[in-house]
Amino acid sequence: MDENSTLSPAHSDAAASSSADTPPFPSVPSALAPFAGLWRGEGEGAYPTIDEFAYTEEIEFAPTGKPFLAYRSRTRESGSGRPLHSESGFLRLVAEDEAELLVAQPTGFTEIHRGQIREGTIELSMVALSASPDAKPVHSIRRQLSVRGGDLTYDLWMAHDLTPLTHHLHGHLRRD
């Protein structure tokens, strides 16, 4: 779908009535509407090369007036509130039931993922990962996003240096 295209009234009505838990966002494609909004919650991380950790997180999938959502994530260390990680990008529909997540990280990475949307879940597979010359040696990332009612959960797997693709992060957030 072209970012400059417009949605038909029927498509807008479907987005507005896709679920009782989904706020009405007329310009958002109905398949993405359950993800739209501000989410706050907690997460935990683990990886073979680091200690386990907990964090708080705010994720926003913001309507833009176009048929895609602007994405932003900010995490903080649980307890101290120290900033940990941030990333931003876009979630866009590329087919009736297929989404693309574009992500930029200040650590020197850009990611492109695609996946089918099925029953509020997007299983995203990496299409491209680019890194700046001084970025850490990350070789692959896989993501899953799921919305059930007022809950957003996600999981992230990462291949780093000599470690193969391994589960790294799990988050559970509630719609704000």
Side-chain angles (χ1 to χ4, degrees), residues 36-55:
L38 180 62
W39 306 83
R40 290 193 170 104
E42 297 80 34
E44 55 271 344
Y47 206 69
T49 58
I50 61 173
D51 292 333
E52 293 182 8
F53 59 97
Y55 57 92

Side-chain angles (χ1 to χ4, degrees), residues 9-24:
H11 196 156
S12 296
D13 291 344
S17 64
S18 64
S19 154
D21 295 319
T22 304

Side-chain angles (χ1 to χ4, degrees), residues 103-175:
V103 178
Q105 298 183 28
T107 54
F109 293 99
T110 60
E111 309 168 37
I112 301 174
H113 301 270
R114 279 197 174 188
Q116 296 296 306
I117 305 169
R118 291 192 179 100
E119 299 176 7
T121 297
I122 310 173
E123 291 279 347
L124 294 157
S125 297
M126 193 175 72
V127 173
L129 175 66
S130 296
S132 68
D134 59 343
K136 292 181 180 179
V138 174
H139 307 293
S140 184
I141 296 172
R142 183 167 65 91
R143 296 172 183 251
Q144 176 183 307
L145 301 168
S146 186
V147 172
R148 299 283 183 266
D151 293 327
L152 169 70
T153 58
Y154 71 84
D155 287 279
L156 183 141
W157 294 260
M158 177 176 70
H160 174 269
D161 199 22
L162 301 176
T163 306
L165 199 61
T166 302
H167 189 262
H168 178 42
L169 301 172
H170 174 76
H172 181 208
L173 299 88
R174 302 266 318 147
R175 191 182 306 275

Side-chain angles (χ1 to χ4, degrees), residues 61-76:
F61 289 104
T64 63
K66 299 285 187 176
F68 55 85
L69 300 169
Y71 163 71
R72 120 182 125 71
S73 167
R74 305 289 181 263
T75 64
R76 295 186 173 274

Side-chain angles (χ1 to χ4, degrees), residues 52-97:
E52 293 182 8
F53 59 97
Y55 57 92
T56 61
E57 184 166 19
E58 180 178 285
I59 291 177
E60 184 173 24
F61 289 104
T64 63
K66 299 285 187 176
F68 55 85
L69 300 169
Y71 163 71
R72 120 182 125 71
S73 167
R74 305 289 181 263
T75 64
R76 295 186 173 274
E77 185 176 58
S78 289
S80 75
R82 178 178 63 91
L84 293 176
H85 178 75
S86 64
E87 57 188 38
S88 59
F90 299 94
L91 180 63
R92 64 191 204 106
L93 204 59
V94 294
E96 185 176 327
D97 63 350

